[in-house]
Amino acid sequence: MRRPIQILLRFMAITALGVVSMGLIASQMVPEIAKLPEAVSFDTEDNIVLPELPEGSTIVDAAGEPVGTLRGPENRIVVPLAEMSQELRDTVLAVEDADFYEHEGVSARSVLRAIKANSDAGGVEQGGSTITQQLVKLNLVGDDRTIERKIREASLAIQLEDSLCGDEATKKQCKDIIFQQYLNQIYLGQGAYGVEAASRAYFNKSAAEVNLAEAAMLAALIKNPTNYDPIENPEGAEDRRGVAVSRMVDEGRIDREQA
């Protein structure tokens, strides 16, 4: 059996266990289970590509000096991963996908961790999607709350990583491509798409200059940029930032004193 298929089947088993443990009743499950063969594709799709991200256009004067910016519906400034602070990258990984650089697109560990966190919190505190799955959701499958969509998301996440990690690319190189796309694409509130635009909107600085405290705030926004907007809802934003900081401690990114 090919490795991608083994990975997906293991993920499906863990996901099924999580679904059962979280109390979904059989009458809800049966119609969705019947759709699973349609959702899963083990055949590699050649057209799985990451889209070009829209940016604004800078207006310059006769001397080449910038005088303004024309923006479309998305305020975004695309920057390479190397121009995002290490603190920002580490914090997003701790909050969203701690073993991103180890898994193959899906992660049973993430599912189990989310089940435990949600059980402890008595509600949905964490999701089980990897960063690759979140990118697939943004670009390919949407966010319908069905098992069919979730399994298709996992299948395409494995295929995306497999297609990027060719013979000439190392695993870290292909992971960096996915992580860079993710950090430049996500919406973070106040009309800002991507971490560079968000860093400038909230802190008036570039993503390269973001420190740990600011990184925790930006990472907190990923889950719900409207509810956790620090301008519109400072108390809610502070609470969610605390969750992000706790996750960083749990993952060994910072110690208690730093937290």
Side-chain angles (χ1 to χ4, degrees), residues 70-130:
L70 290 176
R71 295 195 180 104
E74 297 183 2
N75 173 22
R76 175 183 287 109
I77 304 167
V78 174
V79 296
L81 196 62
E83 293 182 17
M84 304 173 194
S85 74
Q86 190 65 52
E87 290 85 351
L88 177 57
R89 285 179 275 165
D90 286 347
T91 304
V92 172
L93 288 173
V95 173
E96 294 296 320
D97 190 356
D99 56 342
F100 171 70
Y101 281 93
E102 281 73 52
H103 63 62
E104 309 293 337
V106 297
S107 172
R109 177 181 177 233
S110 294
V111 174
L112 291 173
R113 184 174 57 236
I115 292 169
K116 181 180 185 303
N118 295 337
S119 175
D120 292 345
V124 180
E125 184 66 29
Q126 292 185 34
S129 293
T130 65

Side-chain angles (χ1 to χ4, degrees), residues 19-196:
V19 170
V20 172
S21 69
M22 294 174 74
L24 289 179
I25 61 174
S27 62
Q28 294 174 309
M29 291 286 290
V30 170
E32 298 300 326
I33 290 173
K35 298 177 184 177
L36 293 186
E38 302 173 12
V40 180
S41 172
F42 294 114
D43 297 323
T44 301
E45 299 186 19
D46 295 332
N47 61 344
I48 300 181
V49 294
L50 298 175
E52 292 290 333
L53 298 176
E55 295 184 81
S57 298
T58 301
I59 304 170
V60 297
D61 60 21
E65 294 297 323
V67 296
T69 303
L70 290 176
R71 295 195 180 104
E74 297 183 2
N75 173 22
R76 175 183 287 109
I77 304 167
V78 174
V79 296
L81 196 62
E83 293 182 17
M84 304 173 194
S85 74
Q86 190 65 52
E87 290 85 351
L88 177 57
R89 285 179 275 165
D90 286 347
T91 304
V92 172
L93 288 173
V95 173
E96 294 296 320
D97 190 356
D99 56 342
F100 171 70
Y101 281 93
E102 281 73 52
H103 63 62
E104 309 293 337
V106 297
S107 172
R109 177 181 177 233
S110 294
V111 174
L112 291 173
R113 184 174 57 236
I115 292 169
K116 181 180 185 303
N118 295 337
S119 175
D120 292 345
V124 180
E125 184 66 29
Q126 292 185 34
S129 293
T130 65
I131 282 174
T132 311
Q133 287 176 262
Q134 291 181 51
L135 203 54
V136 165
K137 180 171 70 173
L138 285 171
N139 294 298
L140 298 173
V141 300
D143 57 0
D144 291 341
R145 292 180 176 272
T146 65
I147 299 175
E148 178 187 11
R149 194 275 299 166
K150 193 67 176 176
I151 297 301
R152 178 163 174 74
E153 173 191 293
S155 175
L156 291 174
I158 293 170
Q159 291 184 48
L160 175 60
E161 292 212 359
D162 190 55
S163 67
L164 289 176
C165 296
D167 295 335
E168 298 181 0
T170 66
K171 184 169 184 175
K172 184 180 185 306
Q173 287 172 330
C174 69
K175 288 285 192 175
D176 282 349
I177 292 171
I178 292 170
F179 196 28
Q180 177 176 293
Q181 178 87 4
Y182 176 79
L183 290 172
N184 278 305
Q185 184 166 358
I186 51 176
Y187 180 60
L188 294 168
Q190 295 295 317
Y193 288 80
V195 295
E196 180 69 19

